[in-house]
PDB file of all heavy atoms in Angstrom:
ATOM      1  N   ASP A 205     -50.379 -17.976-103.185  1.00 92.00           N
ATOM      2  CA  ASP A 205     -49.403 -17.280-104.018  1.00 92.00           C
ATOM      3  C   ASP A 205     -48.799 -18.173-105.092  1.00 92.00           C
ATOM      4  O   ASP A 205     -47.918 -17.744-105.837  1.00 92.00           O
ATOM      5  CB  ASP A 205     -48.302 -16.644-103.158  1.00 92.00           C
ATOM      6  CG  ASP A 205     -47.485 -17.675-102.383  1.00 92.00           C
ATOM      7  OD1 ASP A 205     -47.729 -18.893-102.551  1.00 92.00           O
ATOM      8  OD2 ASP A 205     -46.607 -17.256-101.607  1.00 92.00           O
ATOM      9  N   ARG A 206     -49.280 -19.423-105.172  1.00 91.00           N
ATOM     10  CA  ARG A 206     -48.852 -20.317-106.259  1.00 91.00           C
ATOM     11  C   ARG A 206     -50.034 -20.725-107.136  1.00 91.00           C
ATOM     12  O   ARG A 206     -50.042 -21.785-107.740  1.00 91.00           O
ATOM     13  CB  ARG A 206     -48.155 -21.551-105.669  1.00 91.00           C
ATOM     14  CG  ARG A 206     -46.800 -21.227-105.038  1.00 91.00           C
ATOM     15  CD  ARG A 206     -46.123 -22.441-104.477  1.00 91.00           C
ATOM     16  NE  ARG A 206     -46.818 -22.976-103.309  1.00 91.00           N
ATOM     17  CZ  ARG A 206     -46.421 -24.051-102.634  1.00 91.00           C
ATOM     18  NH1 ARG A 206     -45.348 -24.706-103.032  1.00 91.00           N
ATOM     19  NH2 ARG A 206     -47.083 -24.469-101.591  1.00 91.00           N
ATOM     20  N   SER A 207     -51.006 -19.848-107.219  1.00 93.00           N
ATOM     21  CA  SER A 207     -52.182 -20.104-108.050  1.00 93.00           C
ATOM     22  C   SER A 207     -51.848 -19.807-109.513  1.00 93.00           C
ATOM     23  O   SER A 207     -51.778 -18.650-109.928  1.00 93.00           O
ATOM     24  CB  SER A 207     -53.359 -19.223-107.599  1.00 93.00           C
ATOM     25  OG  SER A 207     -54.400 -19.261-108.552  1.00 93.00           O
ATOM     26  N   TYR A 208     -51.648 -20.858-110.295  1.00 94.00           N
ATOM     27  CA  TYR A 208     -51.287 -20.644-111.701  1.00 94.00           C
ATOM     28  C   TYR A 208     -52.433 -19.993-112.477  1.00 94.00           C
ATOM     29  O   TYR A 208     -52.201 -19.178-113.364  1.00 94.00           O
ATOM     30  CB  TYR A 208     -50.851 -21.949-112.370  1.00 94.00           C
ATOM     31  CG  TYR A 208     -51.902 -23.037-112.401  1.00 94.00           C
ATOM     32  CD1 TYR A 208     -52.865 -23.074-113.406  1.00 94.00           C
ATOM     33  CD2 TYR A 208     -51.905 -24.047-111.452  1.00 94.00           C
ATOM     34  CE1 TYR A 208     -53.820 -24.075-113.440  1.00 94.00           C
ATOM     35  CE2 TYR A 208     -52.853 -25.054-111.481  1.00 94.00           C
ATOM     36  CZ  TYR A 208     -53.804 -25.064-112.480  1.00 94.00           C
ATOM     37  OH  TYR A 208     -54.754 -26.053-112.511  1.00 94.00           O
ATOM     38  N   SER A 209     -53.683 -20.336-112.113  1.00 94.00           N
ATOM     39  CA  SER A 209     -54.802 -19.697-112.818  1.00 94.00           C
ATOM     40  C   SER A 209     -54.892 -18.213-112.465  1.00 94.00           C
ATOM     41  O   SER A 209     -55.288 -17.388-113.294  1.00 94.00           O
ATOM     42  CB  SER A 209     -56.114 -20.409-112.491  1.00 94.00           C
ATOM     43  OG  SER A 209     -56.389 -20.376-111.105  1.00 94.00           O
ATOM     44  N   GLY A 210     -54.508 -17.857-111.234  1.00 96.00           N
ATOM     45  CA  GLY A 210     -54.471 -16.456-110.841  1.00 96.00           C
ATOM     46  C   GLY A 210     -53.427 -15.683-111.627  1.00 96.00           C
ATOM     47  O   GLY A 210     -53.690 -14.581-112.130  1.00 96.00           O
ATOM     48  N   TYR A 211     -52.227 -16.267-111.748  1.00 97.00           N
ATOM     49  CA  TYR A 211     -51.176 -15.612-112.532  1.00 97.00           C
ATOM     50  C   TYR A 211     -51.561 -15.513-114.003  1.00 97.00           C
ATOM     51  O   TYR A 211     -51.293 -14.512-114.673  1.00 97.00           O
ATOM     52  CB  TYR A 211     -49.853 -16.364-112.390  1.00 97.00           C
ATOM     53  CG  TYR A 211     -49.093 -16.020-111.131  1.00 97.00           C
ATOM     54  CD1 TYR A 211     -48.920 -16.958-110.121  1.00 97.00           C
ATOM     55  CD2 TYR A 211     -48.531 -14.752-110.961  1.00 97.00           C
ATOM     56  CE1 TYR A 211     -48.219 -16.655-108.964  1.00 97.00           C
ATOM     57  CE2 TYR A 211     -47.829 -14.430-109.801  1.00 97.00           C
ATOM     58  CZ  TYR A 211     -47.675 -15.385-108.810  1.00 97.00           C
ATOM     59  OH  TYR A 211     -46.991 -15.064-107.672  1.00 97.00           O
ATOM     60  N   ALA A 212     -52.192 -16.580-114.537  1.00 96.00           N
ATOM     61  CA  ALA A 212     -52.604 -16.557-115.945  1.00 96.00           C
ATOM     62  C   ALA A 212     -53.616 -15.444-116.193  1.00 96.00           C
ATOM     63  O   ALA A 212     -53.499 -14.682-117.168  1.00 96.00           O
ATOM     64  CB  ALA A 212     -53.202 -17.910-116.333  1.00 96.00           C
ATOM     65  N   ALA A 213     -54.618 -15.345-115.309  1.00 96.00           N
ATOM     66  CA  ALA A 213     -55.633 -14.297-115.472  1.00 96.00           C
ATOM     67  C   ALA A 213     -55.012 -12.914-115.348  1.00 96.00           C
ATOM     68  O   ALA A 213     -55.340 -11.995-116.115  1.00 96.00           O
ATOM     69  CB  ALA A 213     -56.739 -14.480-114.439  1.00 96.00           C
ATOM     70  N   LEU A 214     -54.092 -12.760-114.389  1.00 97.00           N
ATOM     71  CA  LEU A 214     -53.426 -11.458-114.233  1.00 97.00           C
ATOM     72  C   LEU A 214     -52.607 -11.129-115.480  1.00 97.00           C
ATOM     73  O   LEU A 214     -52.533  -9.964-115.902  1.00 97.00           O
ATOM     74  CB  LEU A 214     -52.530 -11.482-112.996  1.00 97.00           C
ATOM     75  CG  LEU A 214     -51.914 -10.147-112.580  1.00 97.00           C
ATOM     76  CD1 LEU A 214     -52.988  -9.106-112.298  1.00 97.00           C
ATOM     77  CD2 LEU A 214     -51.020 -10.339-111.349  1.00 97.00           C
ATOM     78  N   GLY A 215     -52.004 -12.168-116.094  1.00 97.00           N
ATOM     79  CA  GLY A 215     -51.273 -11.945-117.337  1.00 97.00           C
ATOM     80  C   GLY A 215     -52.171 -11.407-118.433  1.00 97.00           C
ATOM     81  O   GLY A 215     -51.813 -10.460-119.144  1.00 97.00           O
ATOM     82  N   TRP A 216     -53.382 -11.979-118.559  1.00 96.00           N
ATOM     83  CA  TRP A 216     -54.324 -11.486-119.570  1.00 96.00           C
ATOM     84  C   TRP A 216     -54.787 -10.062-119.254  1.00 96.00           C
ATOM     85  O   TRP A 216     -54.910  -9.231-120.157  1.00 96.00           O
ATOM     86  CB  TRP A 216     -55.542 -12.414-119.652  1.00 96.00           C
ATOM     87  CG  TRP A 216     -55.333 -13.597-120.536  1.00 96.00           C
ATOM     88  CD1 TRP A 216     -55.118 -14.885-120.168  1.00 96.00           C
ATOM     89  CD2 TRP A 216     -55.328 -13.598-121.970  1.00 96.00           C
ATOM     90  NE1 TRP A 216     -54.968 -15.700-121.261  1.00 96.00           N
ATOM     91  CE2 TRP A 216     -55.113 -14.935-122.387  1.00 96.00           C
ATOM     92  CE3 TRP A 216     -55.489 -12.611-122.936  1.00 96.00           C
ATOM     93  CZ2 TRP A 216     -55.046 -15.293-123.731  1.00 96.00           C
ATOM     94  CZ3 TRP A 216     -55.427 -12.965-124.280  1.00 96.00           C
ATOM     95  CH2 TRP A 216     -55.205 -14.295-124.660  1.00 96.00           C
ATOM     96  N   VAL A 217     -55.039  -9.786-117.979  1.00 97.00           N
ATOM     97  CA  VAL A 217     -55.433  -8.422-117.596  1.00 97.00           C
ATOM     98  C   VAL A 217     -54.343  -7.432-118.020  1.00 97.00           C
ATOM     99  O   VAL A 217     -54.621  -6.373-118.603  1.00 97.00           O
ATOM    100  CB  VAL A 217     -55.690  -8.341-116.079  1.00 97.00           C
ATOM    101  CG1 VAL A 217     -55.799  -6.882-115.630  1.00 97.00           C
ATOM    102  CG2 VAL A 217     -56.958  -9.097-115.708  1.00 97.00           C
ATOM    103  N   ARG A 218     -53.100  -7.777-117.735  1.00 97.00           N
ATOM    104  CA  ARG A 218     -51.995  -6.880-118.085  1.00 97.00           C
ATOM    105  C   ARG A 218     -51.828  -6.767-119.602  1.00 97.00           C
ATOM    106  O   ARG A 218     -51.496  -5.695-120.114  1.00 97.00           O
ATOM    107  CB  ARG A 218     -50.702  -7.394-117.437  1.00 97.00           C
ATOM    108  CG  ARG A 218     -50.695  -7.170-115.923  1.00 97.00           C
ATOM    109  CD  ARG A 218     -49.529  -7.833-115.239  1.00 97.00           C
ATOM    110  NE  ARG A 218     -49.381  -7.342-113.869  1.00 97.00           N
ATOM    111  CZ  ARG A 218     -48.580  -7.872-112.967  1.00 97.00           C
ATOM    112  NH1 ARG A 218     -47.841  -8.947-113.268  1.00 97.00           N
ATOM    113  NH2 ARG A 218     -48.504  -7.354-111.764  1.00 97.00           N
ATOM    114  N   LEU A 219     -52.060  -7.864-120.307  1.00 95.00           N
ATOM    115  CA  LEU A 219     -51.982  -7.832-121.764  1.00 95.00           C
ATOM    116  C   LEU A 219     -53.032  -6.884-122.328  1.00 95.00           C
ATOM    117  O   LEU A 219     -52.742  -6.041-123.190  1.00 95.00           O
ATOM    118  CB  LEU A 219     -52.194  -9.245-122.309  1.00 95.00           C
ATOM    119  CG  LEU A 219     -51.621  -9.577-123.693  1.00 95.00           C
ATOM    120  CD1 LEU A 219     -50.098  -9.503-123.684  1.00 95.00           C
ATOM    121  CD2 LEU A 219     -52.063 -10.973-124.118  1.00 95.00           C
ATOM    122  N   PHE A 220     -54.267  -7.017-121.829  1.00 94.00           N
ATOM    123  CA  PHE A 220     -55.365  -6.196-122.335  1.00 94.00           C
ATOM    124  C   PHE A 220     -55.235  -4.728-121.944  1.00 94.00           C
ATOM    125  O   PHE A 220     -55.872  -3.862-122.552  1.00 94.00           O
ATOM    126  CB  PHE A 220     -56.702  -6.733-121.832  1.00 94.00           C
ATOM    127  CG  PHE A 220     -57.180  -7.958-122.574  1.00 94.00           C
ATOM    128  CD1 PHE A 220     -57.792  -8.987-121.888  1.00 94.00           C
ATOM    129  CD2 PHE A 220     -57.039  -8.071-123.945  1.00 94.00           C
ATOM    130  CE1 PHE A 220     -58.253 -10.121-122.557  1.00 94.00           C
ATOM    131  CE2 PHE A 220     -57.493  -9.193-124.620  1.00 94.00           C
ATOM    132  CZ  PHE A 220     -58.101 -10.216-123.936  1.00 94.00           C
ATOM    133  N   THR A 221     -54.447  -4.447-120.914  1.00 93.00           N
ATOM    134  CA  THR A 221     -54.240  -3.051-120.506  1.00 93.00           C
ATOM    135  C   THR A 221     -52.869  -2.546-120.956  1.00 93.00           C
ATOM    136  O   THR A 221     -52.357  -1.578-120.432  1.00 93.00           O
ATOM    137  CB  THR A 221     -54.413  -2.895-118.983  1.00 93.00           C
ATOM    138  OG1 THR A 221     -53.578  -3.842-118.301  1.00 93.00           O
ATOM    139  CG2 THR A 221     -55.852  -3.141-118.573  1.00 93.00           C
ATOM    140  N   TRP A 222     -52.292  -3.242-121.921  1.00 93.00           N
ATOM    141  CA  TRP A 222     -51.073  -2.834-122.620  1.00 93.00           C
ATOM    142  C   TRP A 222     -49.826  -2.831-121.728  1.00 93.00           C
ATOM    143  O   TRP A 222     -48.838  -2.183-122.057  1.00 93.00           O
ATOM    144  CB  TRP A 222     -51.269  -1.472-123.290  1.00 93.00           C
ATOM    145  CG  TRP A 222     -52.372  -1.462-124.314  1.00 93.00           C
ATOM    146  CD1 TRP A 222     -53.708  -1.611-124.076  1.00 93.00           C
ATOM    147  CD2 TRP A 222     -52.244  -1.331-125.727  1.00 93.00           C
ATOM    148  NE1 TRP A 222     -54.431  -1.576-125.238  1.00 93.00           N
ATOM    149  CE2 TRP A 222     -53.559  -1.390-126.280  1.00 93.00           C
ATOM    150  CE3 TRP A 222     -51.169  -1.144-126.588  1.00 93.00           C
ATOM    151  CZ2 TRP A 222     -53.796  -1.281-127.647  1.00 93.00           C
ATOM    152  CZ3 TRP A 222     -51.419  -1.030-127.939  1.00 93.00           C
ATOM    153  CH2 TRP A 222     -52.715  -1.099-128.467  1.00 93.00           C
ATOM    154  N   ASP A 223     -49.868  -3.538-120.618  1.00 95.00           N
ATOM    155  CA  ASP A 223     -48.675  -3.707-119.788  1.00 95.00           C
ATOM    156  C   ASP A 223     -48.007  -5.011-120.230  1.00 95.00           C
ATOM    157  O   ASP A 223     -48.083  -6.030-119.566  1.00 95.00           O
ATOM    158  CB  ASP A 223     -49.055  -3.777-118.300  1.00 95.00           C
ATOM    159  CG  ASP A 223     -47.856  -4.062-117.395  1.00 95.00           C
ATOM    160  OD1 ASP A 223     -46.706  -3.996-117.884  1.00 95.00           O
ATOM    161  OD2 ASP A 223     -48.087  -4.371-116.207  1.00 95.00           O
ATOM    162  N   TRP A 224     -47.340  -4.977-121.379  1.00 94.00           N
ATOM    163  CA  TRP A 224     -46.820  -6.216-121.951  1.00 94.00           C
ATOM    164  C   TRP A 224     -45.653  -6.804-121.160  1.00 94.00           C
ATOM    165  O   TRP A 224     -45.590  -8.025-121.006  1.00 94.00           O
ATOM    166  CB  TRP A 224     -46.470  -5.984-123.418  1.00 94.00           C
ATOM    167  CG  TRP A 224     -47.716  -5.749-124.239  1.00 94.00           C
ATOM    168  CD1 TRP A 224     -49.004  -5.974-123.833  1.00 94.00           C
ATOM    169  CD2 TRP A 224     -47.811  -5.232-125.565  1.00 94.00           C
ATOM    170  NE1 TRP A 224     -49.894  -5.632-124.831  1.00 94.00           N
ATOM    171  CE2 TRP A 224     -49.196  -5.176-125.900  1.00 94.00           C
ATOM    172  CE3 TRP A 224     -46.884  -4.816-126.504  1.00 94.00           C
ATOM    173  CZ2 TRP A 224     -49.640  -4.726-127.141  1.00 94.00           C
ATOM    174  CZ3 TRP A 224     -47.324  -4.357-127.737  1.00 94.00           C
ATOM    175  CH2 TRP A 224     -48.671  -4.319-128.054  1.00 94.00           C
ATOM    176  N   PRO A 225     -44.708  -6.002-120.644  1.00 95.00           N
ATOM    177  CA  PRO A 225     -43.664  -6.614-119.801  1.00 95.00           C
ATOM    178  C   PRO A 225     -44.260  -7.318-118.572  1.00 95.00           C
ATOM    179  O   PRO A 225     -43.851  -8.431-118.226  1.00 95.00           O
ATOM    180  CB  PRO A 225     -42.787  -5.419-119.395  1.00 95.00           C
ATOM    181  CG  PRO A 225     -43.005  -4.410-120.477  1.00 95.00           C
ATOM    182  CD  PRO A 225     -44.445  -4.560-120.874  1.00 95.00           C
ATOM    183  N   GLY A 226     -45.251  -6.663-117.927  1.00 97.00           N
ATOM    184  CA  GLY A 226     -45.893  -7.296-116.773  1.00 97.00           C
ATOM    185  C   GLY A 226     -46.642  -8.556-117.160  1.00 97.00           C
ATOM    186  O   GLY A 226     -46.646  -9.550-116.426  1.00 97.00           O
ATOM    187  N   ALA A 227     -47.274  -8.535-118.347  1.00 97.00           N
ATOM    188  CA  ALA A 227     -47.986  -9.714-118.824  1.00 97.00           C
ATOM    189  C   ALA A 227     -47.023 -10.872-119.018  1.00 97.00           C
ATOM    190  O   ALA A 227     -47.305 -12.010-118.613  1.00 97.00           O
ATOM    191  CB  ALA A 227     -48.707  -9.397-120.131  1.00 97.00           C
ATOM    192  N   GLY A 228     -45.885 -10.605-119.636  1.00 96.00           N
ATOM    193  CA  GLY A 228     -44.897 -11.661-119.851  1.00 96.00           C
ATOM    194  C   GLY A 228     -44.441 -12.279-118.544  1.00 96.00           C
ATOM    195  O   GLY A 228     -44.323 -13.509-118.433  1.00 96.00           O
ATOM    196  N   GLN A 229     -44.209 -11.453-117.534  1.00 97.00           N
ATOM    197  CA  GLN A 229     -43.785 -11.970-116.228  1.00 97.00           C
ATOM    198  C   GLN A 229     -44.859 -12.848-115.597  1.00 97.00           C
ATOM    199  O   GLN A 229     -44.565 -13.924-115.055  1.00 97.00           O
ATOM    200  CB  GLN A 229     -43.443 -10.802-115.301  1.00 97.00           C
ATOM    201  CG  GLN A 229     -42.219 -10.019-115.721  1.00 97.00           C
ATOM    202  CD  GLN A 229     -42.024  -8.755-114.899  1.00 97.00           C
ATOM    203  OE1 GLN A 229     -42.730  -8.524-113.916  1.00 97.00           O
ATOM    204  NE2 GLN A 229     -41.091  -7.920-115.316  1.00 97.00           N
ATOM    205  N   SER A 230     -46.116 -12.420-115.690  1.00 97.00           N
ATOM    206  CA  SER A 230     -47.208 -13.194-115.097  1.00 97.00           C
ATOM    207  C   SER A 230     -47.374 -14.533-115.803  1.00 97.00           C
ATOM    208  O   SER A 230     -47.551 -15.577-115.157  1.00 97.00           O
ATOM    209  CB  SER A 230     -48.516 -12.410-115.162  1.00 97.00           C
ATOM    210  OG  SER A 230     -48.457 -11.250-114.368  1.00 97.00           O
ATOM    211  N   PHE A 231     -47.331 -14.526-117.137  1.00 97.00           N
ATOM    212  CA  PHE A 231     -47.477 -15.780-117.881  1.00 97.00           C
ATOM    213  C   PHE A 231     -46.317 -16.736-117.588  1.00 97.00           C
ATOM    214  O   PHE A 231     -46.522 -17.944-117.456  1.00 97.00           O
ATOM    215  CB  PHE A 231     -47.577 -15.507-119.374  1.00 97.00           C
ATOM    216  CG  PHE A 231     -48.875 -14.876-119.801  1.00 97.00           C
ATOM    217  CD1 PHE A 231     -48.892 -13.783-120.644  1.00 97.00           C
ATOM    218  CD2 PHE A 231     -50.093 -15.392-119.363  1.00 97.00           C
ATOM    219  CE1 PHE A 231     -50.089 -13.206-121.047  1.00 97.00           C
ATOM    220  CE2 PHE A 231     -51.296 -14.815-119.753  1.00 97.00           C
ATOM    221  CZ  PHE A 231     -51.287 -13.721-120.600  1.00 97.00           C
ATOM    222  N   GLU A 232     -45.110 -16.203-117.503  1.00 97.00           N
ATOM    223  CA  GLU A 232     -43.950 -17.061-117.235  1.00 97.00           C
ATOM    224  C   GLU A 232     -44.046 -17.686-115.850  1.00 97.00           C
ATOM    225  O   GLU A 232     -43.681 -18.855-115.661  1.00 97.00           O
ATOM    226  CB  GLU A 232     -42.666 -16.255-117.402  1.00 97.00           C
ATOM    227  CG  GLU A 232     -42.347 -15.983-118.880  1.00 97.00           C
ATOM    228  CD  GLU A 232     -41.304 -14.905-119.077  1.00 97.00           C
ATOM    229  OE1 GLU A 232     -40.766 -14.397-118.062  1.00 97.00           O
ATOM    230  OE2 GLU A 232     -41.021 -14.560-120.244  1.00 97.00           O
ATOM    231  N   GLU A 233     -44.550 -16.940-114.871  1.00 96.00           N
ATOM    232  CA  GLU A 233     -44.735 -17.508-113.533  1.00 96.00           C
ATOM    233  C   GLU A 233     -45.828 -18.569-113.555  1.00 96.00           C
ATOM    234  O   GLU A 233     -45.697 -19.623-112.922  1.00 96.00           O
ATOM    235  CB  GLU A 233     -45.084 -16.403-112.537  1.00 96.00           C
ATOM    236  CG  GLU A 233     -45.249 -16.887-111.099  1.00 96.00           C
ATOM    237  CD  GLU A 233     -43.982 -17.487-110.513  1.00 96.00           C
ATOM    238  OE1 GLU A 233     -42.883 -17.280-111.067  1.00 96.00           O
ATOM    239  OE2 GLU A 233     -44.098 -18.187-109.471  1.00 96.00           O
ATOM    240  N   ALA A 234     -46.917 -18.314-114.285  1.00 96.00           N
ATOM    241  CA  ALA A 234     -47.985 -19.319-114.387  1.00 96.00           C
ATOM    242  C   ALA A 234     -47.466 -20.591-115.034  1.00 96.00           C
ATOM    243  O   ALA A 234     -47.798 -21.702-114.598  1.00 96.00           O
ATOM    244  CB  ALA A 234     -49.150 -18.741-115.193  1.00 96.00           C
ATOM    245  N   LEU A 235     -46.630 -20.461-116.067  1.00 95.00           N
ATOM    246  CA  LEU A 235     -46.086 -21.640-116.738  1.00 95.00           C
ATOM    247  C   LEU A 235     -45.087 -22.372-115.859  1.00 95.00           C
ATOM    248  O   LEU A 235     -44.957 -23.603-115.950  1.00 95.00           O
ATOM    249  CB  LEU A 235     -45.416 -21.227-118.055  1.00 95.00           C
ATOM    250  CG  LEU A 235     -46.372 -20.819-119.180  1.00 95.00           C
ATOM    251  CD1 LEU A 235     -45.604 -20.246-120.358  1.00 95.00           C
ATOM    252  CD2 LEU A 235     -47.217 -22.005-119.620  1.00 95.00           C
ATOM    253  N   ARG A 236     -44.394 -21.650-115.007  1.00 94.00           N
ATOM    254  CA  ARG A 236     -43.489 -22.310-114.062  1.00 94.00           C
ATOM    255  C   ARG A 236     -44.277 -23.194-113.107  1.00 94.00           C
ATOM    256  O   ARG A 236     -43.848 -24.301-112.754  1.00 94.00           O
ATOM    257  CB  ARG A 236     -42.684 -21.266-113.285  1.00 94.00           C
ATOM    258  CG  ARG A 236     -41.576 -21.847-112.411  1.00 94.00           C
ATOM    259  CD  ARG A 236     -40.810 -20.753-111.713  1.00 94.00           C
ATOM    260  NE  ARG A 236     -41.572 -20.151-110.629  1.00 94.00           N
ATOM    261  CZ  ARG A 236     -41.602 -20.642-109.381  1.00 94.00           C
ATOM    262  NH1 ARG A 236     -40.946 -21.739-109.067  1.00 94.00           N
ATOM    263  NH2 ARG A 236     -42.305 -20.014-108.460  1.00 94.00           N
ATOM    264  N   LEU A 237     -45.435 -22.720-112.702  1.00 93.00           N
ATOM    265  CA  LEU A 237     -46.278 -23.465-111.770  1.00 93.00           C
ATOM    266  C   LEU A 237     -47.038 -24.592-112.461  1.00 93.00           C
ATOM    267  O   LEU A 237     -47.281 -25.644-111.871  1.00 93.00           O
ATOM    268  CB  LEU A 237     -47.263 -22.515-111.088  1.00 93.00           C
ATOM    269  CG  LEU A 237     -46.633 -21.485-110.152  1.00 93.00           C
ATOM    270  CD1 LEU A 237     -47.612 -20.366-109.845  1.00 93.00           C
ATOM    271  CD2 LEU A 237     -46.159 -22.157-108.866  1.00 93.00           C
ATOM    272  N   ASN A 238     -47.472 -24.345-113.688  1.00 91.00           N
ATOM    273  CA  ASN A 238     -48.205 -25.364-114.447  1.00 91.00           C
ATOM    274  C   ASN A 238     -47.939 -25.155-115.933  1.00 91.00           C
ATOM    275  O   ASN A 238     -48.568 -24.311-116.565  1.00 91.00           O
ATOM    276  CB  ASN A 238     -49.705 -25.282-114.165  1.00 91.00           C
ATOM    277  CG  ASN A 238     -50.483 -26.373-114.885  1.00 91.00           C
ATOM    278  OD1 ASN A 238     -49.947 -27.108-115.701  1.00 91.00           O
ATOM    279  ND2 ASN A 238     -51.764 -26.473-114.582  1.00 91.00           N
ATOM    280  N   PRO A 239     -47.005 -25.922-116.506  1.00 91.00           N
ATOM    281  CA  PRO A 239     -46.644 -25.710-117.919  1.00 91.00           C
ATOM    282  C   PRO A 239     -47.682 -26.212-118.905  1.00 91.00           C
ATOM    283  O   PRO A 239     -47.499 -26.063-120.107  1.00 91.00           O
ATOM    284  CB  PRO A 239     -45.338 -26.501-118.059  1.00 91.00           C
ATOM    285  CG  PRO A 239     -45.413 -27.557-117.004  1.00 91.00           C
ATOM    286  CD  PRO A 239     -46.170 -26.948-115.864  1.00 91.00           C
ATOM    287  N   ASN A 240     -48.789 -26.795-118.424  1.00 89.00           N
ATOM    288  CA  ASN A 240     -49.775 -27.415-119.309  1.00 89.00           C
ATOM    289  C   ASN A 240     -51.130 -26.713-119.313  1.00 89.00           C
ATOM    290  O   ASN A 240     -52.118 -27.291-119.750  1.00 89.00           O
ATOM    291  CB  ASN A 240     -49.985 -28.880-118.909  1.00 89.00           C
ATOM    292  CG  ASN A 240     -48.710 -29.685-119.029  1.00 89.00           C
ATOM    293  OD1 ASN A 240     -47.883 -29.419-119.886  1.00 89.00           O
ATOM    294  ND2 ASN A 240     -48.550 -30.672-118.165  1.00 89.00           N
ATOM    295  N   HIS A 241     -51.188 -25.473-118.829  1.00 90.00           N
ATOM    296  CA  HIS A 241     -52.459 -24.766-118.694  1.00 90.00           C
ATOM    297  C   HIS A 241     -52.767 -24.034-119.993  1.00 90.00           C
ATOM    298  O   HIS A 241     -52.032 -23.120-120.406  1.00 90.00           O
ATOM    299  CB  HIS A 241     -52.360 -23.777-117.525  1.00 90.00           C
ATOM    300  CG  HIS A 241     -53.643 -23.115-117.179  1.00 90.00           C
ATOM    301  ND1 HIS A 241     -53.732 -21.765-116.903  1.00 90.00           N
ATOM    302  CD2 HIS A 241     -54.908 -23.596-117.074  1.00 90.00           C
ATOM    303  CE1 HIS A 241     -54.979 -21.450-116.627  1.00 90.00           C
ATOM    304  NE2 HIS A 241     -55.714 -22.543-116.728  1.00 90.00           N
ATOM    305  N   ALA A 242     -53.879 -24.396-120.666  1.00 88.00           N
ATOM    306  CA  ALA A 242     -54.180 -23.874-121.999  1.00 88.00           C
ATOM    307  C   ALA A 242     -54.331 -22.360-122.008  1.00 88.00           C
ATOM    308  O   ALA A 242     -53.846 -21.675-122.916  1.00 88.00           O
ATOM    309  CB  ALA A 242     -55.438 -24.532-122.542  1.00 88.00           C
ATOM    310  N   MET A 243     -55.012 -21.818-121.013  1.00 90.00           N
ATOM    311  CA  MET A 243     -55.238 -20.366-120.980  1.00 90.00           C
ATOM    312  C   MET A 243     -53.910 -19.612-120.862  1.00 90.00           C
ATOM    313  O   MET A 243     -53.726 -18.545-121.449  1.00 90.00           O
ATOM    314  CB  MET A 243     -56.150 -20.017-119.807  1.00 90.00           C
ATOM    315  CG  MET A 243     -56.542 -18.557-119.744  1.00 90.00           C
ATOM    316  SD  MET A 243     -57.712 -18.271-118.392  1.00 90.00           S
ATOM    317  CE  MET A 243     -57.879 -16.491-118.481  1.00 90.00           C
ATOM    318  N   THR A 244     -52.959 -20.179-120.109  1.00 94.00           N
ATOM    319  CA  THR A 244     -51.646 -19.551-119.977  1.00 94.00           C
ATOM    320  C   THR A 244     -50.878 -19.624-121.284  1.00 94.00           C
ATOM    321  O   THR A 244     -50.287 -18.640-121.737  1.00 94.00           O
ATOM    322  CB  THR A 244     -50.829 -20.239-118.873  1.00 94.00           C
ATOM    323  OG1 THR A 244     -51.579 -20.264-117.659  1.00 94.00           O
ATOM    324  CG2 THR A 244     -49.528 -19.505-118.630  1.00 94.00           C
ATOM    325  N   LEU A 245     -50.878 -20.802-121.899  1.00 94.00           N
ATOM    326  CA  LEU A 245     -50.149 -20.977-123.152  1.00 94.00           C
ATOM    327  C   LEU A 245     -50.690 -20.053-124.242  1.00 94.00           C
ATOM    328  O   LEU A 245     -49.923 -19.475-125.014  1.00 94.00           O
ATOM    329  CB  LEU A 245     -50.232 -22.440-123.595  1.00 94.00           C
ATOM    330  CG  LEU A 245     -49.418 -23.423-122.739  1.00 94.00           C
ATOM    331  CD1 LEU A 245     -49.856 -24.853-123.018  1.00 94.00           C
ATOM    332  CD2 LEU A 245     -47.926 -23.259-122.988  1.00 94.00           C
ATOM    333  N   HIS A 246     -52.015 -19.888-124.289  1.00 94.00           N
ATOM    334  CA  HIS A 246     -52.631 -18.990-125.264  1.00 94.00           C
ATOM    335  C   HIS A 246     -52.198 -17.543-124.994  1.00 94.00           C
ATOM    336  O   HIS A 246     -51.788 -16.812-125.904  1.00 94.00           O
ATOM    337  CB  HIS A 246     -54.152 -19.122-125.186  1.00 94.00           C
ATOM    338  CG  HIS A 246     -54.886 -18.264-126.169  1.00 94.00           C
ATOM    339  ND1 HIS A 246     -56.262 -18.138-126.163  1.00 94.00           N
ATOM    340  CD2 HIS A 246     -54.453 -17.453-127.166  1.00 94.00           C
ATOM    341  CE1 HIS A 246     -56.623 -17.318-127.123  1.00 94.00           C
ATOM    342  NE2 HIS A 246     -55.556 -16.883-127.744  1.00 94.00           N
ATOM    343  N   GLY A 247     -52.277 -17.127-123.731  1.00 95.00           N
ATOM    344  CA  GLY A 247     -51.888 -15.762-123.392  1.00 95.00           C
ATOM    345  C   GLY A 247     -50.426 -15.494-123.668  1.00 95.00           C
ATOM    346  O   GLY A 247     -50.058 -14.437-124.197  1.00 95.00           O
TER     347      GLY A 247
END
């Protein structure tokens, strides 16, 4: 449950399916776990 790559990927899934509030929450959790992950920062 602390997989930053899992949260980052879920953020992109939510972004692509137009769930932008959910995407923001997923990306923020991924950045909390790993603030240096390129895929998260891009998303």
Side-chain angles (χ1 to χ4, degrees):
D205 63 3
R206 291 181 292 180
S207 168
Y208 61 84
S209 60
Y211 278 113
L214 188 59
W216 276 105
V217 168
R218 288 172 167 170
L219 204 65
F220 283 141
T221 53
W222 299 67
D223 176 11
W224 292 347
Q229 293 172 7
S230 295
F231 289 133
E232 286 165 3
E233 182 62 16
L235 288 172
R236 188 178 73 86
L237 293 164
N238 183 352
N240 299 328
H241 187 223
M243 185 176 176
T244 306
L245 289 165
H246 181 187

